[in-house]
Amino acid sequence: MSSEWEENILKPKIYATLPIPTDVEKFLSEYCEVRKWIGEDRISRETLLQDIKDVNGLLTSGIRIDDDLLENAPNLKVVSNVSVGFNNFNIEAMKQHNVIGTNTPYVLDETVADLTFALILASARRIAELDRFVKDGNWNPTKDDQLVFGLDVHSSTIGIIGMGRIGEAVARRAKFGFNMDVLYYNRNRKPEAEEKYEAEYCNLDSLLERSDFIVLLTPLTPETEHFIGEREFALMKKSTFFINVSRGKTVDEAAMIRALENKEIYGAGLDVFQKEPVEKDNPLLKMPNVVTVPHIGSATKKTRDAMIMRAAQNIVSALTGKGAIDSVY
Ligand code: 8YV
């Protein structure tokens, strides 16, 4: 009967760059020797490259997986993202090094759709701005309260760019929760969504011209970098709100700032930014008609726990060859 020490020698080694709940660590330890970054701050690139020299699996999120890292980890077989987005993967390099890449789809769809609607409601009804207004003691008796008027969400038109699973969850809330007309633009038609939510497929320009709320939900790829820029903002109505819950770089942020400053659009709700954390002097942070949150799309305990368990299952399946995995290529 081999000792635990011998068993650990036999087990594949994995490295986690983010905190792991106890039940997930227990699950992983059954199959792997688990090593983890225990520093207070985000792990530095230098330390990471040092620590993963002999590991077989990497459990992470947002870390750039490129040739440099892969050269440094010759035994690496799998990188498991605790996120549905995988723009941090250099897929060609991973293929070259025969390293599997996995993500965490499905488990966050509803949570991200909730946050999307929170940004729609908060920007249209000026929740963040008026919360500050009240807390700063500016609420005084007035004859006419037009000062605090917002715009209606119910019965308006939503335009969803990127009708994937999260897009459909947003469409469902829009149709059945807010009696909104649903327009969508996507690489391919979604007959089911058209059926279920009376979602109207239209070309990008038509969606941009007709929508009261434009929701960007495309993954970040070389094709979608700066997908929304000067030309697209110029097509939008002056009463339109722009909502970004995808990635900061799918938008030309400078063009968005100009569109807001020139009142080409009415406001925005942003979960993601070109640079994260966003720079303290970013003009967006000074605009009362822009609601900003720190990339919290999937940030509920229940959903993040589900994401990290799914990522753990992916890494074990990839290393043991047993069970399904959410491979991204
Ligand atoms: C992640 C996300 O939490 O899943 C994604 O693609 O953007 C979020 O759910 C984020 O990537 C963490 O860095």
Side-chain angles (χ1 to χ4, degrees):
M1 181 40 210
S2 59
S3 73
E4 192 197 340
W5 187 74
E6 280 157 346
E7 270 176 27
N8 258 347
I9 288 185
L10 302 171
K11 284 179 178 172
K13 298 179 186 60
I14 68 162
Y15 190 88
T17 64
L18 63 185
I20 315 178
T22 327
D23 61 331
V24 176
E25 182 155 3
K26 192 162 167 295
F27 163 74
L28 284 167
S29 306
E30 278 167 45
Y31 304 91
C32 309
E33 177 198 329
V34 181
R35 300 182 191 162
K36 51 190 181 177
W37 166 244
I38 50 170
E40 283 304 306
D41 305 327
R42 231 174 132 74
I43 189 169
S44 72
R45 186 85 178 169
E46 194 197 345
T47 307
L48 175 68
L49 296 186
Q50 196 52 45
D51 288 2
I52 62 172
K53 282 197 178 314
D54 65 342
V55 304
N56 310 110
L58 182 57
L59 186 68
T60 188
S61 153
I63 297 271
R64 196 172 71 256
I65 309 300
D66 55 14
D67 245 332
D68 174 37
L69 180 145
L70 296 165
E71 295 290 340
N72 255 280
N75 306 338
L76 200 60
K77 293 191 179 57
V78 55
V79 179
S80 178
N81 252 8
V82 184
S83 70
V84 68
F86 51 90
N87 47 287
N88 59 314
F89 287 172
N90 176 334
I91 300 284
E92 282 325 304
M94 292 172 81
K95 284 182 180 168
Q96 298 277 332
H97 291 266
N98 209 7
V99 172
I100 296 168
T102 66
N103 67 342
T104 58
Y106 305 103
V107 287
L108 44 60
D109 299 344
E110 299 300 329
T111 300
V112 177
D114 282 353
L115 192 267
T116 304
F117 253 86
L119 286 172
I120 288 172
L121 289 162
S123 49
R125 302 305 300 274
R126 305 167 53 194
I127 302 295
E129 179 200 349
L130 295 174
D131 172 65
R132 280 193 302 279
F133 170 84
V134 172
K135 287 177 179 157
D136 295 350
N138 299 322
W139 186 12
N140 302 308
T142 59
K143 179 161 67 47
D144 163 11
D145 55 6
Q146 290 220 15
L147 194 64
V148 297
F149 281 11
L151 295 184
D152 279 321
V153 173
H154 71 85
S155 317
S156 65
T157 298
I158 188 170
I160 298 170
I161 303 174
M163 185 63 102
R165 289 178 308 276
I166 299 171
E168 292 207 24
V170 170
R172 182 173 3 101
R173 284 159 175 75
K175 186 70 200 165
F176 301 122
F178 293 86
N179 185 33
M180 297 170 91
D181 293 334
V182 179
L183 308 179
Y184 80 99
Y185 172 77
N186 199 60
R187 276 177 307 182
N188 43 41
R189 294 286 293 264
K190 292 295 181 95
E192 255 192 73
E194 294 178 17
E195 175 72 28
K196 280 193 264 181
Y197 316 120
E198 292 177 36
E200 177 191 337
Y201 178 80
C202 53
N203 67 40
L204 182 64
D205 291 9
S206 167
L207 181 149
L208 296 171
E209 287 158 357
R210 295 165 58 196
S211 304
D212 300 306
F213 297 90
I214 293 170
V215 174
L216 190 53
L217 272 167
T218 57
L220 173 60
T221 65
E223 296 74 36
T224 63
E225 181 139 3
H226 286 194
F227 192 71
I228 303 295
E230 189 125 10
R231 190 192 80 82
E232 289 73 27
F233 283 114
L235 288 172
M236 299 180 191
K237 299 189 283 187
K238 293 195 176 325
S239 60
T240 289
F241 289 90
F242 178 70
I243 310 294
N244 191 3
V245 277
S246 66
R247 287 287 184 269
K249 291 193 177 128
T250 54
V251 174
D252 176 342
E253 197 166 277
M256 177 171 60
I257 290 167
R258 285 194 300 278
L260 287 158
E261 284 165 347
N262 304 338
K263 301 199 176 331
E264 278 174 40
I265 61 173
Y266 202 90
L270 307 173
D271 184 39
V272 288
F273 301 83
Q274 190 160 279
K275 188 172 167 309
E276 293 183 9
V278 64
E279 314 91 323
K280 308 271 182 293
D281 62 354
N282 186 310
L284 292 165
L285 307 190
K286 295 195 181 46
M287 298 177 179
N289 56 335
V290 175
V291 176
T292 58
V293 287
H295 200 148
I296 58 168
S298 64
T300 64
K301 172 133 181 38
K302 191 158 161 271
T303 293
R304 285 291 174 79
D305 285 354
M307 288 168 69
I308 196 157
M309 181 51 98
R310 192 167 184 113
Q313 286 155 346
N314 279 329
I315 215 169
V316 168
S317 301
L319 291 172
T320 61
K322 299 194 201 83
I325 59 171
D326 303 304
S327 178
V328 299
Y329 70 83

